[in-house]
Amino acid sequence: MATTSGRDRLRRADGGLVLCRVSGVPVLLSPSWWVGAAVIVLLYTPLVGRLLPGAGVWTSGLIAAVFTVLLALSVLLHELGHCVVAVRLGLPVRRVRLFLLGGISEISRNPPAPRQEGLIAAAGPAVSVLIAAVTGLGWLAVEPGGAVWLLVAQTCVANIAVAAFNLLPGLPLDGGRMLRSLAWAVTGSRPVGTTAGVIGAGAVAVGLIVWALLGLVTDAEDQWLRLGVCLLMTWFVVAGAGAEHAAEQRRGWPAGLSLSDLVRPVLQLPAESPVRDALVASAGRGVVLVRADGLAVGLLDQTAAERLAAQAPREPAERAAEPVGPDTILLEDEPPDAVLERVRTVLAWQYLVLDSDGRPSGVLRREDLRNAMQSRTRQG
């Protein structure tokens, strides 16, 4: 694990405090984690006093704080399990965040196949089970009754609970993602898999509420703690499943629409053309700027060209070009889902479309695709 410098460690980023970087992936501590940590310490301190009668309040509080840190490390290792498998499968990881209810690994691209999604989802619970096994052996080896014994035992139990909860078959939990991958593999449709995961989330939410109510009816010792935890977990599952469903709805290509319907005609102009003339010539078309040696320098960026033309209309259009690279090139016969994934993961204003012979056949602008998607959402 390669940690950052002290200055980086204290730096705040979008989503929380940067703790460290693991293989280049930043690990962030969300502000809500501190709330969860405080709640765990407050609830766990009295339990320590009952399990270790000789421990005073301050000792019990210290043990509770150490357990909170061990729990956070366990969650981090769980998430790094997802990250390692994702990276090995060629999927970049944007960051890992620890927050009130656990952690999340933000993978930049959706897995392209069900097998990959299943492997990534299973990696986290597998790490938790491994930690539980190791700490379980320590639990048996350490002499009972001391602070170390209690911390090892509770870490084991906590990792079993983390693995068990995450394996429940509902999105956005790992078990829900594994269910989605299975349904996706069987039906060949990711949306069908997402629907299965959302239905599973509903079943999980009902199960949590029933368990909480049983605690109240039977007057269980932990009835109020159980109620609070179950309500929090139910909210997490329902909200996460709703977000997954909405994301899947946005992810699909508009029905009855082909790539050719969105592609604008393309015009080739000399890169040294005055930017004002290039703007006039574009008129709703994509413009490929080509140097005298036949090398394409990029696509005319309309916004940059308008800004440059207002200041220096005779400047060469090349100064307002958006570079064209492998990631911003699409093929006419490329599957729609692949086009959508490219637009989501490659930040560019426009994409050059090539025909089967490798010649420019048009330009796809991000705004045109976005408008088509929004139009489909309103109609739905």
Side-chain angles (χ1 to χ4, degrees), residues 264-269 278 281-283 285-290 299 362-363:
R264 299 188 180 206
V266 66
L267 173 69
Q268 293 191 33
L269 288 178
S282 63
R285 294 178 289 188
V287 176
V288 179
L289 298 172
V290 183
L299 296 171
V363 170

Side-chain angles (χ1 to χ4, degrees), residues 335-360:
D337 286 346
V339 174
L340 270 178
E341 192 66 25
R342 184 78 63 82
V343 172
R344 284 197 181 93
T345 56
V346 179
L347 185 59
W349 177 61
Q350 52 191 343
Y351 305 81
L352 181 63
V353 181
L354 304 180
D355 62 18
S356 57
D357 295 324
R359 295 173 301 193

Side-chain angles (χ1 to χ4, degrees), residues 262-316:
L262 296 176
V263 169
R264 299 188 180 206
V266 66
L267 173 69
Q268 293 191 33
L269 288 178
E272 63 271 14
S273 301
V275 66
R276 181 182 58 188
D277 296 346
L279 273 174
V280 173
S282 63
R285 294 178 289 188
V287 176
V288 179
L289 298 172
V290 183
R291 289 178 181 160
D293 57 5
L295 180 66
V297 297
L299 296 171
L300 183 71
D301 184 329
Q302 182 122 10
T303 302
E306 290 173 353
R307 187 163 53 245
L308 180 61
Q311 300 172 352
R314 302 300 301 173
E315 283 293 308

Side-chain angles (χ1 to χ4, degrees), residues 206-230:
V206 170
L208 289 170
I209 294 299
V210 169
W211 189 55
L213 292 178
L214 283 176
L216 295 176
V217 170
T218 59
D219 198 26
E221 184 178 352
D222 64 342
Q223 57 180 314
W224 298 113
L225 175 60
R226 186 190 302 187
L227 178 64
V229 170
C230 284

